[in-house]
Amino acid sequence: MRHRFAAVTTELLDDVPQLAVVLADISTELFEQAASRHQSRVINVGIREQALIGSTAGLALSGLRPIAHTYAPFLIERPFEQVKVDLGHQDLGAILVSVGATYDEPRYGYTHHAPGDVALIDTLPQWTVHVPGHPDEVDTLLRQAVADDNRVYIRLSTQTNHRPQSVGDGQFSVIRKGTGPTVVAVGPMLDRVLEATSDLDVTVLYAATVRPFDAATLRFVLAEPAVVLVEPYLRGTSSARVSEALVDLPHRLLALGAPPHTARRYGTPADHDAEYGLDPAGLRASISRFVAHESTFSTS
Amino acid sequence: MTQMTTAATYADLAPLMSRLTGAEKHTPSATSTLDVLWVLYDRILRIDPQAPDDPDRDRFLLSKGHGPMAYYAVLAAHGFFPAEWLSGFAGPDSRLGHHPDRQLLPGVEISSGSLGHGLGTATGLALGLRAQGNPAKTFVLVGDAELDEGSNHEAIVVAAAYELDTLTTIVVDNNSASLGWPGGIAQRFELEGWSTSTVDGRDHEALAAALSTRAPRQPRAVVAVVEPKG
């Protein structure tokens, strides 16, 4: 996804004179060609994330369409007040593109993990949040974002699905229909959700765009009033959105995702998936219990 | 130099500020930025109050959003908005609050209040204007205490590294930084490659000269020293 992001952005810099890119020492090697061709519109501020977002806001103020890019914790968490004030409060458009996701690099430890990035952005109004599950989806969503003038967060990951889905209309896609609960698989979680639920009577929705939250499709396909969220970031990030969508309906909700603090262990993303029950086996266990109306929590 | 269409005078400002505060006299801290702002809008900035969104206008960003009465008075004096708007300051229906809001008031380039945001934004703004071949200049006003925020020091380096000679930072120094700036404020900018000047923040001629000076491929910092905050 990161390479596709850089390739598409490099191409768009040639075609879209309003496009600018601000980097903070991350992925600079992927933008060398773009920087040499568009010196004034490819800017590296060094390891300065407040300046990354502040100067992105200034570029937007000047009439350009800026993309700011770095590792997720340093794009959203470290300069969060710049995201809130410099972009949001000024009502400026910008595209923030992160890598690292929740724990794409467990070898780096918690400092480089961002389970809470989407939840944090969700405290701010009028952000579109894309969580693509395939490089082709990055291509579509990025081009769309560049052509728009809104505030967009695109969360890239090294975890991908085998096939791209059709994205860009902001709606959840119906992957499979059943008569039981509806499982919302976000971005890279789709393949493992399909594997985990292959013989379960559930509806599976795919969400590459999570904000705005497509309550209409969820409501439209809902069979049993029961929803399973499978999000690749902090568990429960979209729980309130489900509650709002089903406000008039007694319903059950299971929210799966990453814990607020990742485990103090290194290893691979697969090791962490297994630890948090986000691998196919873990998902299958949680979703099966939910489908069977068994409590997820021990009552003893 | 200026495209101001109104015939405002410096003497107009005190009564305008009184409309905001209800007081006839104002403390030095309420007026620390007054002379700098007056000189900027009277003699330096190329902004037409009748066309505050003109893409070719110079930009002035009030980063230090605290104590904006002098800013409001100067904008009103130049006709960016009617002086009547000064009444009811910070009331529920007022467009003017203790921190300016660009969505509410013509002529206000950024909504400020939280300290340490303007210089980073101004850096990007100057980069963006230059990338588009727009020769408009960017000015940003910060306070000496506001410089405490580390975000400023990120931007100071970036602006100099990118040789933003259309950018001017004005530091109004009323000696209010709790831990001080040993070696002086100008040195913080000079070290990174800015052209600097430290002047009496009440001396209009000195301010105008300092704000008119630019050095090729160097951003400009003007430290305007006023009475210590009481």
Side-chain angles (χ1 to χ4, degrees):
Chain A
M1 288 194 205
R2 191 203 296 225
H3 284 84
R4 184 68 72 88
F5 156 60
V8 172
T9 302
T10 297
E11 176 197 325
L12 291 175
L13 279 162
D14 290 341
D15 300 338
V16 182
Q18 302 303 306
L19 183 61
V21 177
V22 192
L23 305 170
D25 270 1
I26 297 294
S27 305
T28 50
E29 71 283 2
L30 300 178
F31 285 93
E32 279 174 8
Q33 185 193 8
S36 68
R37 284 218 292 265
H38 306 287
Q39 206 174 356
S40 67
R41 289 188 288 129
V42 179
I43 297 145
N44 178 17
V45 299
I47 307 167
R48 296 183 177 86
E49 288 84 10
Q50 296 185 83
L52 171 71
I53 303 298
S55 59
T56 295
L59 290 166
L61 209 52
S62 81
L64 296 180
R65 180 66 169 151
I67 295 175
H69 167 69
T70 187
Y71 239 72
F74 317 130
L75 185 67
I76 305 299
E77 294 172 332
R78 189 177 187 121
F80 185 70
E81 201 212 4
Q82 275 74 19
V83 175
K84 172 192 167 193
V85 172
D86 297 358
L87 296 175
H89 186 41
Q90 312 300 329
D91 197 16
L92 295 169
I95 304 165
L96 307 184
V97 180
S98 72
V99 288
T102 305
Y103 45 78
D104 277 358
E105 288 283 5
R107 296 168 301 165
Y108 296 169
Y110 180 65
T111 60
H112 283 57
H113 299 170
D117 58 345
V118 177
L120 272 171
I121 285 283
D122 207 20
T123 65
L124 305 175
Q126 294 176 308
W127 277 89
T128 295
V129 179
H130 299 307
V131 186
H134 189 278
D136 289 359
E137 298 172 21
V138 175
D139 197 307
T140 303
L141 295 167
L142 181 61
R143 289 175 194 277
Q144 190 180 69
V146 168
D148 210 331
D149 63 357
N150 53 349
R151 288 189 286 282
V152 183
Y153 177 42
I154 304 179
R155 187 185 206 261
L156 308 182
S157 179
T158 56
Q159 308 301 300
T160 63
N161 302 313
H162 286 100
R163 284 190 302 276
Q165 299 294 322
S166 173
V167 299
D169 61 3
Q171 296 183 356
F172 298 167
S173 309
V174 183
I175 305 297
R176 192 146 65 76
K177 290 200 77 170
T179 64
T182 296
V183 184
V184 181
V186 173
M189 307 308 276
L190 179 60
D191 278 1
R192 64 187 79 182
V193 163
L194 290 174
E195 183 181 341
T197 62
S198 58
D199 59 349
L200 298 177
D201 182 17
V202 296
T203 295
V204 176
L205 293 179
Y206 175 63
T209 300
V210 292
R211 296 293 181 277
F213 188 84
D214 182 14
T217 298
L218 175 64
R219 193 65 195 246
F220 183 74
V221 302
L222 200 67
E224 182 187 336
V227 176
V228 182
L229 285 169
V230 184
E231 300 185 273
Y233 35 78
L234 179 66
R235 62 183 171 235
T237 295
S238 295
S239 292
R241 302 306 172 112
V242 173
S243 295
E244 289 164 13
L246 307 182
V247 65
D248 58 335
L249 202 63
H251 62 273
R252 298 187 298 133
L253 171 64
L254 173 64
L256 303 175
H261 193 305
T262 48
R264 291 184 191 276
R265 61 183 301 201
Y266 300 104
T268 66
D271 294 326
H272 283 255
D273 288 340
E275 173 125 8
Y276 317 132
L278 297 176
D279 59 341
L283 290 172
R284 180 176 174 77
S286 300
I287 296 171
S288 296
R289 284 198 299 273
F290 185 75
V291 168
H293 287 249
E294 291 171 14
S295 172
T296 309
F297 301 99
S298 168
T299 52
S300 58
Chain B
M1 177 69 72
T2 176
Q3 296 179 351
M4 296 300 177
T5 54
T6 50
T9 68
Y10 185 74
D12 296 334
L13 300 179
L16 289 169
M17 287 185 69
S18 294
R19 285 180 83 141
L20 284 163
T21 61
E24 284 192 23
K25 292 200 169 186
H26 300 98
T27 61
S29 66
T31 64
S32 65
T33 59
L34 184 66
D35 294 274
V36 169
L37 290 166
W38 173 256
V39 170
L40 277 167
Y41 279 88
D42 188 48
R43 299 166 68 167
I44 306 294
L45 297 170
R46 299 176 62 88
I47 310 175
D48 179 357
Q50 306 307 313
D53 298 323
D54 182 345
D56 295 333
R57 72 191 183 283
D58 287 341
R59 269 66 164 185
F60 172 71
L61 279 58
L62 182 72
S63 183
K64 190 194 89 76
H66 296 358
M69 286 80 81
Y71 182 46
Y72 293 146
V74 169
L75 289 176
H78 284 290
F80 282 90
F81 55 84
E84 291 73 43
W85 290 12
L86 298 169
S87 304
F89 175 47
D93 299 317
S94 176
R95 289 168 172 269
L96 290 69
H98 287 271
H99 300 139
D101 189 325
R102 70 190 289 263
Q103 306 291 346
L104 296 177
L105 205 56
V108 170
E109 299 281 1
I110 58 166
S111 305
S112 51
S114 178
L115 297 174
H117 289 262
L119 190 44
T121 302
T123 299
L125 179 53
L127 282 164
L129 293 171
R130 185 171 73 180
Q132 295 170 85
N134 186 333
K137 296 181 176 58
T138 300
F139 296 79
V140 56
L141 189 155
V142 302
D144 65 306
E146 182 180 14
L147 274 186
D148 289 359
E149 295 285 0
S151 51
N152 293 297
H153 302 275
E154 293 189 3
I156 287 169
V157 176
V158 174
Y162 282 89
E163 302 177 343
L164 288 176
D165 53 13
T166 55
L167 175 65
T168 300
T169 299
I170 304 114
V171 184
V172 172
D173 179 8
N174 65 351
N175 196 24
S176 57
S178 293
L179 306 186
W181 289 109
I185 289 169
Q187 187 180 304
R188 311 281 161 164
F189 290 84
E190 278 164 22
L191 189 65
E192 304 300 343
W194 291 56
S195 147
T196 73
S197 185
T198 299
V199 297
D200 177 349
R202 300 299 184 193
D203 182 336
H204 292 193
E205 292 306 320
L207 283 167
L211 292 166
S212 305
T213 303
R214 8 204 99 251
R217 305 176 68 172
Q218 285 181 291
R220 176 90 174 139
V222 175
V223 181
V225 181
V226 298
E227 311 77 21
K229 185 179 181 181

